[in-house]
Amino acid sequence: MAISDIERLIQLLARLPGLGPRSARRVALQMIKKRETLMLPLAAALQQAAESIRACTICGNLDTQETCAICRDPERDATIICVAEEVGDLWAIERSGAFKGRYHVLGGTLSALDGRGPDQLNVAALMDRLRPADDGTMPVREVILALSVTVDGQTTGHYIAERLAGAGVSVTRLAHGVPVGGELDYLDDGTLSAALKARGPA
Amino acid sequence: MAISDIERLIQLLARLPGLGPRSARRVALQMIKKRETLMLPLAAALQQAAESIRACTICGNLDTQETCAICRDPERDATIICVAEEVGDLWAIERSGAFKGRYHVLGGTLSALDGRGPDQLNVAALMDRLRPADDGTMPVREVILALSVTVDGQTTGHYIAERLAGAGVSVTRLAHGVPVGGELDYLDDGTLSAALKARGPA
């Protein structure tokens, strides 16, 4: 078929999250217009990233090296581990600049609907990281559960908190409350009552 | 820098139409998850398409051959040419299945704002296609202007109609009216009065 190269490209683009057939066509046309400055560099970047990027063997973050930049950084507090569902969540927390410890990426949540059980999550590796050293010192003092406030996220949080119950670390979760910049009028009742319960001095 | 491969990928993805930095990150993560089934095939498809796809030398449509599938098709009426702004518009008309002639892609519209004059449009090639044969027969009997109903699109239409004035072809444009499936209540005044003016028997 004559047009198959471009149709194949559009079909693959349409499988990207957030793109449908119509936007995939627009993207394909735009790229063909910018062949040298966008299309070929993107092809090369995809190839390069597919070859070089791997999951960090310690925390599950993505990096070009076996141990990711965060796990390698001696400036970061190795005694606090922030547990995230996905690498995207880790990146979001990094962008906030508010956390200077290490991470652990679960690779998803428990989900009865999607049939994801504890074995599919990267929990065993988390337990390994909490194991006391030979001299009995604890390598980690706090595990922060930075999980989605969804049924699956919270189920996962409960499960991990239970697993960590005897490990001698304090387990915390992110605070619930009014989003910064959020208007009360548009806030759901659950968030509003959580924010009221957790109120603090002004 | 350790993370540069993935950041470079995200930066390139963010330059695609309809994707911002946030969706580019989501797309990149999704692709890394589907490395074998999505990321590498997409890299190959981009490379392949960038090498093989070119503009048809007759009409400006995109194809892997010098003359596009539509211009090669002997079943299509070569005496009617539909003038479109962009290849995407040509594809939209093709999807409708309502046109069985040939096309001519201008590659844009005249635009005072963007400084695009007649020389930047593929008009000279259109004039060439209308030139009478040696025996005096006219190769084309109708030119349909399928241009956007915007100031620039209509300016371009007027310009082309003027250029074609002495060429011995009839020049038509798409009808204005109520979109099929459109609700009158949501329709703008211009479309509504055009639809009223052009009313026909029920």
Side-chain angles (χ1 to χ4, degrees), chain B residues 170-189:
Chain B
S170 81
V171 181
T172 57
R173 63 156 176 78
L174 296 185
H176 300 324
V178 184
V180 177
E183 295 184 46
L184 288 197
D185 199 12
Y186 291 98
L187 217 55
D188 65 291
D189 299 348

Side-chain angles (χ1 to χ4, degrees), chain A residues 11-189:
Chain A
Q11 275 167 13
L12 283 166
L13 287 170
R15 289 176 47 203
L16 299 178
L19 290 186
R22 191 173 286 259
S23 36
R25 279 195 295 269
R26 211 175 60 230
V27 165
L29 284 172
Q30 180 76 356
M31 284 202 290
I32 290 166
K33 275 196 170 180
K34 298 185 178 169
R35 204 176 296 229
E36 299 300 326
T37 58
L38 183 56
M39 194 173 191
L40 288 170
L42 183 59
L46 280 167
Q47 186 74 39
Q48 170 69 22
E51 280 164 18
S52 69
I53 290 168
R54 64 190 80 185
C56 171
T57 50
I58 299 175
C59 75
N61 185 18
L62 295 173
D63 204 293
T64 48
Q65 298 188 37
E66 207 179 298
T67 308
C68 77
I70 294 173
C71 287
R72 282 199 311 272
D73 186 348
E75 299 283 297
R76 301 192 66 128
D77 188 348
T79 69
I80 306 187
I81 292 179
C82 178
V83 174
E85 288 169 19
E86 299 281 2
V87 174
D89 301 330
L90 184 160
W91 290 355
I93 300 168
E94 276 298 284
R95 282 198 300 279
S96 79
F99 181 67
K100 292 295 170 203
R102 303 277 170 93
Y103 290 94
H104 195 83
V105 178
L106 294 176
T109 57
L110 299 176
S111 171
L113 217 62
D114 300 340
R116 265 198 312 278
D119 295 347
Q120 272 106 311
L121 300 186
N122 190 17
V123 179
L126 176 62
M127 301 306 290
D128 283 345
R129 295 176 71 181
L130 305 181
R131 197 161 294 158
D134 291 339
D135 61 358
T137 56
M138 301 296 293
V140 174
R141 57 188 169 90
E142 181 178 355
V143 170
I144 305 173
L145 301 175
L147 304 172
S148 304
V149 189
T150 58
V151 172
D152 285 347
Q154 297 303 296
T155 308
T156 309
H158 284 300
Y159 169 75
I160 292 176
E162 234 164 65
R163 287 282 301 264
L164 300 185
V169 293
S170 81
V171 181
T172 58
R173 62 156 177 79
L174 296 186
H176 299 325
V178 185
V180 176
E183 293 185 47
L184 288 197
D185 199 13
Y186 291 99
L187 217 54
D188 65 292
D189 298 347

Side-chain angles (χ1 to χ4, degrees), chain B residues 136-161:
Chain B
T137 55
M138 301 297 295
V140 175
R141 60 189 165 87
E142 181 177 355
V143 170
I144 305 172
L145 301 175
L147 303 171
S148 303
V149 189
T150 57
V151 172
D152 285 347
Q154 296 304 298
T155 308
T156 310
H158 284 301
Y159 168 76
I160 293 176

Side-chain angles (χ1 to χ4, degrees), chain B residues 11 65 72 99 101 103 105 114-115 117-118 131 160-162 192 202:
Chain B
Q11 275 168 13
Q65 298 187 38
R72 282 199 311 270
F99 181 67
Y103 290 94
V105 178
D114 301 340
R131 198 160 293 157
I160 293 176
E162 231 164 66
L192 209 47

Side-chain angles (χ1 to χ4, degrees), chain B residues 59-195:
Chain B
C59 74
N61 185 17
L62 295 174
D63 204 291
T64 49
Q65 298 187 38
E66 207 179 299
T67 306
C68 77
I70 294 174
C71 287
R72 282 199 311 270
D73 186 347
E75 299 282 294
R76 300 192 65 129
D77 188 348
T79 68
I80 305 188
I81 291 180
C82 178
V83 174
E85 287 169 19
E86 299 281 1
V87 173
D89 301 330
L90 185 161
W91 289 354
I93 299 167
E94 276 300 283
R95 282 198 302 278
S96 80
F99 181 67
K100 292 296 172 204
R102 305 277 171 92
Y103 290 94
H104 195 83
V105 178
L106 293 177
T109 57
L110 299 176
S111 172
L113 217 60
D114 301 340
R116 266 198 311 280
D119 295 346
Q120 272 107 310
L121 300 185
N122 189 16
V123 179
L126 176 62
M127 301 308 290
D128 283 346
R129 295 175 72 182
L130 306 182
R131 198 160 293 157
D134 290 340
D135 62 0
T137 55
M138 301 297 295
V140 175
R141 60 189 165 87
E142 181 177 355
V143 170
I144 305 172
L145 301 175
L147 303 171
S148 303
V149 189
T150 57
V151 172
D152 285 347
Q154 296 304 298
T155 308
T156 310
H158 284 301
Y159 168 76
I160 293 176
E162 231 164 66
R163 286 283 300 265
L164 300 185
V169 293
S170 81
V171 181
T172 57
R173 63 156 176 78
L174 296 185
H176 300 324
V178 184
V180 177
E183 295 184 46
L184 288 197
D185 199 12
Y186 291 98
L187 217 55
D188 65 291
D189 299 348
T191 305
L192 209 47
S193 57

Side-chain angles (χ1 to χ4, degrees), chain A residues 10-20 23-24 27 42 46, chain B residues 13 16 19 26-28 30-31 34 38-39 42:
Chain A
I10 292 170
Q11 275 167 13
L12 283 166
L13 287 170
R15 289 176 47 203
L16 299 178
L19 290 186
S23 36
V27 165
L42 183 59
L46 280 167
Chain B
L13 288 171
L16 299 178
L19 292 186
R26 211 173 62 229
V27 165
Q30 179 78 355
M31 285 203 288
K34 299 187 179 168
L38 184 56
M39 196 173 188
L42 183 59

